[in-house]
Amino acid sequence: MPKRKKGPKFYAVAIGRNTGIFSTWAECQTQVMGFSNAKFKSFSNVEEAKSFIASAPTLTTRRASTADDTEKILDSITPKQKRPRKVVSKTSKGSASNPIKIESSLHLAAKSAATPPDGGAANGSNSSKENGNEGGQEDHGTPQKIMFHIMFDGGSRGNPHGDAGSGTYILTRKFYSSDVSAQQAKQSAKTKITRDTTKIRSYLGLGKLTNNQAEYTGLVTGLEQVLKTLEKTRASSDLEVLKDVILHVQGDSDLIVKQMNGIYACKSPKLKSYYQRSKELVRSIQQRCKNMGVAFGVTFEHVYREDNKIADGLANEAMDAKRSWTTTKGDADQSNNTTDDNKNSATDDAIEV
């Protein structure tokens, strides 16, 4: 993918809560986050942005059912972030290549959700313990909100004559209210947030797949994992019940993102089955949420390769090792849980902090 060009950015929203051209990503994200089938893109000049909006299909925009809740979170995002798309942060050692944690605006929004309306700390001095679930796995019951952040990538060395592999990174945040009675009384209620990460490295064989097929495999793998998580999430008739599910997907394949957003049609016979499977999984996730009486919002966003190093690194690990394996990590379990389809392979040397 081409490197990001220097200069101002113009964010065009063709389908969203409000359409138009915005000067910051924070403003654009407010219009599209949680809005089903949103269409948006960044440009380096205003004329291209206007052309994008004019060429988009005319649809009656509707407000997503999750808008009231998500906008409260998104309003906390500062528009002064210089590079709001940056999703890989440097570690204390100064290495930007380690796929450690998400520092995107979604992450900042999730952090702000833990702060009560009075502006105080979510749980005072005990917040880290509650979020970390120290002392073992704690059953919080049914979360009120789940946010999934998928980053996907794939590659084929020799395209398609060499080794192929895909990488998928999933950050799952679950939001719990720790005081239902306080909610009933419209008082400040504490919020617990659990965070789980899943890193999936998939080796796809030698001389079989193209780059685009490998990238689509990374997307399919992530959507399948989200569906499995939701199928394990129990519905509840209690007062503390799941209300919102938000899915945000990022990849550096402009083609795939535009196909998933409905901007491009998928005409390639080699990609059609992957595209159809991806669409089918999104519909299944939506149906699962509907069956639980849960509002659902999904967005697909194109990012540049430099901002997709986590997933890119996982795909390269799979191709280098010529095997597939998955590592998971959660607040309640600070050690890696590893599943490997090749028990005789080398051990997982991925960095987790």
Side-chain angles (χ1 to χ4, degrees), residues 245-347:
V245 170
I246 299 174
L247 172 59
H248 185 62
V249 184
Q250 290 181 319
D252 59 29
S253 171
D254 190 52
L255 173 69
I256 292 177
V257 171
K258 284 182 176 177
Q259 287 179 348
M260 294 302 296
N261 279 327
I263 299 175
Y264 286 172
C266 182
K267 299 179 180 179
S268 170
K270 291 184 178 180
L271 298 182
K272 191 158 293 185
S273 62
Y274 295 90
Y275 168 76
Q276 291 173 344
R277 176 59 177 160
S278 299
K279 283 292 189 180
E280 175 188 343
L281 285 166
V282 172
R283 287 192 295 268
S284 296
I285 294 171
Q286 187 175 23
Q287 185 61 47
R288 173 60 180 164
C289 292
K290 183 178 179 181
N291 292 343
M292 294 191 297
V294 175
F296 173 65
V298 57
T299 54
F300 286 84
E301 179 193 4
H302 172 258
V303 295
Y304 289 88
R305 180 175 294 176
E306 66 186 71
D307 296 332
N308 201 37
K309 289 184 178 179
I310 297 178
D312 177 71
L314 297 176
N316 279 291
E317 286 179 28
M319 288 183 280
D320 290 340
K322 294 182 173 57
R323 66 185 181 98
S324 303
W325 75 101
T326 299
T327 54
T328 61
K329 179 179 174 183
D331 287 341
D333 182 6
Q334 294 302 321
S335 62
N336 289 343
N337 296 317
T338 305
T339 57
D340 195 336
D341 66 357
N342 186 350
K343 300 302 180 182
N344 297 322
S345 302
T347 57

